[in-house]
Structures are given as C-alpha cells and as structure tokens.
Amino acid sequence: MTGSPPIAVAFGAATDAGLRRRINEDSYLAVSPLFLVADGMGGHNAGEIASATVIQEFSSLIGRESLTIDDVHAGVAGARRRVAALPAGAGAGAGTTLAGVVIADVDGEGYWLAINLGDSRTYRLSEGRFEQVSVDHSVVQELVDSGQLAADAAQRDSRRNVITRAIGAGSDAEPDYWLIPAEDGDRILVCSDGLSGELEQEAIHGILLAEADPQAAATRLVHEAMVRGGRDNITAIVVDALAVRTRTSRACERDTVPVSAPAREDADIDGDTLPRAVVAGGF
C-alpha cells in the first residue's frame, strides 16, 4: 500500500498562558508525523526558551511520512545538548518535559510511537476505551506506585508538580517509549499538566466524546481548564486517525507495548527554524 501514509490524520491544537502566569512556557509541535508538547520550567523566561529549543530540534523531522524510535531518540539527544548549551541568562539551567506521539511504520502498518519525559501526558481514546498511555515521571506518581499515596489524592498533593525526569534541569534520564498499533477512529490527546491538573480524567473523556472536530476539542479542553482555575500554562493537541494502513487483522494486538530506548545518539541534528504556524510558546 505504497503512496499512503501509515496513519492519515486530522488534528487541532490550542494553548494559553492561563490565568496566573504572565508567560506561556509551553511549546508544541502539531504537524504530521509529530505531535509533541514540551512544558518548560525554570522561571524568568528560561522555561520558555528550553521548551522552544526542544520543539525546534524536532522540527527537522517535519515532512517525513513516519519516524522510527532511533529518529526520536536522536532528537531527544540533540535537544538535550542544545538545552545544556543555552548561554547564561538565556535559559541556562532550565528544563522541560516532553510528551506525545509520532507516526511510525512497523512492517508496513501504522503505529503510534509515544514518548514521555516528565509529567505532560498522552491519552488514547479507541473503540470506547479511554486510557492514559504515558506514566508521569513525578514524585507523586512514585508515591502512588509504592502504595504510599492513594491515586485519588495525587491530584491534590502539594508535591504533584515535582518531576523526576526532564530534558535539562540537571536530568540525564532516558524517555519512556510505547509502541501502539493504531486503529481507524483512534483519538490521541497530548497535553501539559496545566490541563490534566485542572480536569479530571472523566471530564477530559467527556469533552473528547462530545467534540467531533479535533480543533474544537482542543480549544474546548483548554477553555474548560481555564474555567476550572487556569493555574498553569495549558496546552492540548488532539489527533484523529482517519485511515490506518494495515495488512492483516490486528484484533489481538491492541495493547500498548513499552519499548526500550536505543543507545544514545551523539550525531548533530539539523536545527532548522520551525514554521510559526505549528509552534507556540517560544518563537
């Protein structure tokens, strides 16, 4: 089935600084085959620069029909070097989360390749099942996993914004990756914690069901997070799978599969400027 992308998509994106922050330190990339959110941290514009630097690094991959885990991991390595090299006064010491999906081709079939560093999130709505794909890299998540904190208390815990992995900010940790067989009708949400921190998962699910158009869904999610308090920068990308390239039935392959990161790349990555139309919070 050559001549068609592994996953044909429609998508929409929205972002806002929120009601309490003067600067939007979120950046995003929403153009096939990349759908990524980076939530910067560091203050005094440093987070904005760090998140924009990461998104700019990945912009060199725009125009491809699909990507591999090696492509994405090389992008992370290049972004890590660029953030570490930021000059004093222009974001030095800052960091950023990174979460999202890219379109992958596995043996001629369409897959979502999800990536996560930090507490920005990726969700999937597929055939009526709504689930969080990514796992937060945060102190609160570690406490939940160890049984020291109830899951329903995590949203209110004062430590919920303390993350354990990032690009920059002194972290050298590797991302988590998941390989997900795509299905026609899949809806993917990628968001910063400014959204997930304001809206319960049930509310997010309801909006994704209610709004058929991906741009309308992204816009409404951000709006509802503002209504609920808007205490942080808020970003949402909604991606719909219109047609998925498949060769055989995959009825028994719907589960998300964690995959290991390849060896870290050291090669330089081209850092062309990202078109303004598909990025927010840094250019």
Side-chain angles (χ1 to χ4, degrees), residues 4-283:
S4 63
I7 309 174
V9 297
F11 53 87
T15 191
D16 198 283
L19 300 175
R20 299 187 183 183
R21 302 292 182 91
R22 184 176 60 87
I23 293 173
N24 191 347
E25 294 187 304
D26 288 357
S27 296
Y28 69 84
L29 177 56
V31 58
S32 189
L34 301 110
F35 303 95
L36 304 171
V37 168
D39 178 0
M41 52 199 168
H44 304 293
N45 299 349
E48 177 189 16
I49 294 169
S51 67
T53 298
V54 169
I55 292 302
Q56 186 181 43
E57 179 68 26
F58 277 93
S59 71
S60 64
L61 300 173
I62 291 173
R64 304 261 297 271
E65 280 196 348
S66 63
L67 300 173
T68 67
I69 190 172
D70 294 285
D71 295 325
V72 177
H73 202 63
V76 171
R80 199 188 307 271
R81 290 194 298 270
R82 291 181 62 176
V83 169
L86 288 171
T96 180
T97 69
L98 177 66
V101 296
V102 304
I103 294 172
D105 183 322
V106 179
D107 296 329
E109 302 192 1
Y111 277 70
W112 306 111
L113 175 59
I115 179 175
N116 184 56
L117 268 168
D119 63 352
S120 294
R121 290 183 177 178
T122 299
Y123 296 89
R124 183 192 188 202
L125 175 60
S126 182
E127 298 184 356
R129 182 170 69 177
F130 183 58
E131 60 185 348
Q132 183 179 331
V133 174
S134 60
V135 178
D136 293 351
H137 298 139
S138 66
V139 168
V140 164
Q141 185 63 51
E142 290 182 354
L143 292 172
V144 171
D145 291 343
S146 66
Q148 299 179 64
L149 182 68
D152 58 0
Q155 188 100 343
R156 304 182 300 275
D157 194 278
S158 60
R159 297 160 292 185
R160 65 186 180 276
N161 294 325
V162 181
I163 65 173
T164 56
R165 296 193 209 177
I167 295 178
S171 173
D172 199 37
E174 297 294 346
D176 288 334
Y177 295 98
W178 297 265
L179 196 57
I180 310 164
E183 302 285 346
D184 289 346
D186 276 358
R187 170 163 277 192
I188 300 291
L189 168 65
V190 187
C191 65
S192 61
D193 69 329
L195 178 69
S196 59
E198 298 292 0
L199 298 180
E200 298 287 346
Q201 187 160 311
E202 183 178 352
I204 295 172
H205 185 194
I207 292 169
L208 292 176
L209 289 174
E211 299 289 348
D213 178 73
Q215 182 59 60
T219 300
R220 183 173 169 189
L221 284 164
V222 171
H223 172 74
E224 290 297 328
M226 296 276 284
V227 170
R228 302 289 180 92
R231 292 168 290 181
D232 199 353
N233 306 149
I234 310 160
T235 300
I237 303 173
V238 178
V239 188
D240 291 344
L242 304 179
V244 178
R245 186 201 299 162
T246 58
R247 296 187 302 169
T248 57
S249 173
R250 295 191 304 204
C252 62
E253 296 185 47
R254 294 191 68 258
D255 289 342
T256 299
V257 180
V259 291
S260 298
R264 179 171 296 175
E265 295 282 350
D266 292 324
D268 288 337
I269 308 296
D270 182 17
D272 293 337
T273 301
L274 181 66
R276 183 71 168 127
V278 295
V279 69
F283 290 92

